[in-house]
Amino acid sequence: MDFTVKKYTELLESLIRQNYTFQTFDEFIDTPNQKAIVLRHDVDLLPYNSLAFAKIQAAHTIKGTYYFRAVPESWNEKVIQEIAGLGHEIGYHYECLTTVDGDLQKGIKNFEKNLEALRKLAPVTTICMHGSPMSKYDSKDLWKTYSYKDYEITAEPYFDVDFEQVFYLTDTGRRWDGHKVSVRDRVQTSFTDTFHATDEIIRKADRLPDKIMFTFHPQRWNDNMVLWSKELLLQNVKNVIKRYFFVGKKEVL
């Protein structure tokens, strides 16, 4: 069964067997290893799911990067500090134009306030946009007017990664070919390999490119069958809505 914590662990172990190194996003931007994986986690909901992932990684002596939203369903100070204490990177999952209805001045103030609050809990040197697929505002547009470099931020994945060189895999849509239903979690790339299920990635782990960024949404991964089924149902409904109203394609589940 896919999208369980057990399956996530199997995926990690398959990558470890291929002798990949695991770098935080900040480390990768500074000095990328020859054969490296960035494990990015967007903590949209259920922060304790992300803590479970962080503990699994720590048990395997590898590190990941965790981006927290400044909303109650993501922002859990105990979890943030515990994940940081395990040696993982903490980043800000900003959505500043969505929360202020596109007002740039209010958006940058919101960004400053939330970044300062997060830095009181853990060091923060990278940020990542939260897609907010149901909003008409793209928070990346904030950087058409301002510069995140002014806030001692070293990188933002959608601006600072060459996805012609780094293979991008995201579980957006609760599938690995989620570009079909994604509104904003898209990158420009010439890589042609695609996967639907996690087992497909595991089977081909020995043929993956040398540099990879994975994006996980840990709230989608559950061993509890009730929670697993609930997430499956909700995500399928969301995929239909996104595809019909935002992506402009007919839905094929």
Side-chain angles (χ1 to χ4, degrees), residues 99-207:
T99 55
V100 299
D101 294 326
D103 186 304
L104 287 168
Q105 290 186 337
K106 290 182 180 179
I108 197 64
K109 292 296 183 183
N110 183 262
F111 177 84
E112 292 170 355
K113 181 189 72 172
N114 295 331
L115 179 62
E116 181 182 1
L118 189 57
R119 280 176 165 164
K120 290 178 180 178
L121 303 175
V124 177
T125 57
T126 70
I127 58 173
C128 181
M129 173 271 304
H130 174 57
S132 304
M134 303 307 173
S135 170
K136 65 180 180 180
Y137 300 108
D138 185 340
S139 288
K140 294 195 304 297
D141 289 343
L142 192 66
W143 312 124
K144 293 178 179 179
T145 301
Y146 304 99
S147 173
Y148 50 81
K149 302 287 186 179
D150 292 340
Y151 298 91
E152 297 182 358
I153 295 297
T154 59
E156 205 279 11
Y158 296 104
F159 292 99
D160 297 298
V161 177
D162 181 358
F163 288 108
E164 296 292 345
Q165 304 298 321
V166 179
F167 186 40
Y168 186 57
L169 284 166
T170 174
D171 68 359
T172 294
R174 201 174 180 273
R175 56 181 67 174
W176 292 105
D177 50 0
H179 59 278
K180 297 176 181 178
V181 293
S182 179
V183 178
R184 296 194 176 98
D185 190 8
R186 296 165 173 262
V187 301
Q188 293 294 321
T189 183
S190 297
F191 286 108
T192 57
D193 289 341
T194 60
F195 305 96
H196 182 74
T198 307
D199 277 336
E200 296 173 28
I201 304 173
I202 293 171
R203 286 196 298 269
K204 296 183 178 180
D206 61 338
R207 286 167 276 173

Side-chain angles (χ1 to χ4, degrees), residues 38-77:
V38 175
L39 298 172
R40 169 185 144 195
H41 306 79
D42 291 354
V43 189
D44 292 348
L45 302 166
L46 304 179
Y48 279 96
N49 282 37
S50 291
L51 179 57
F53 274 32
K55 288 179 177 178
I56 292 168
Q57 291 165 3
H60 289 79
T61 64
I62 60 178
K63 293 183 285 187
T65 298
Y66 290 80
Y67 290 105
F68 285 84
R69 301 168 63 200
V71 295
E73 55 266 34
S74 171
W75 188 284
N76 182 305
E77 295 188 358

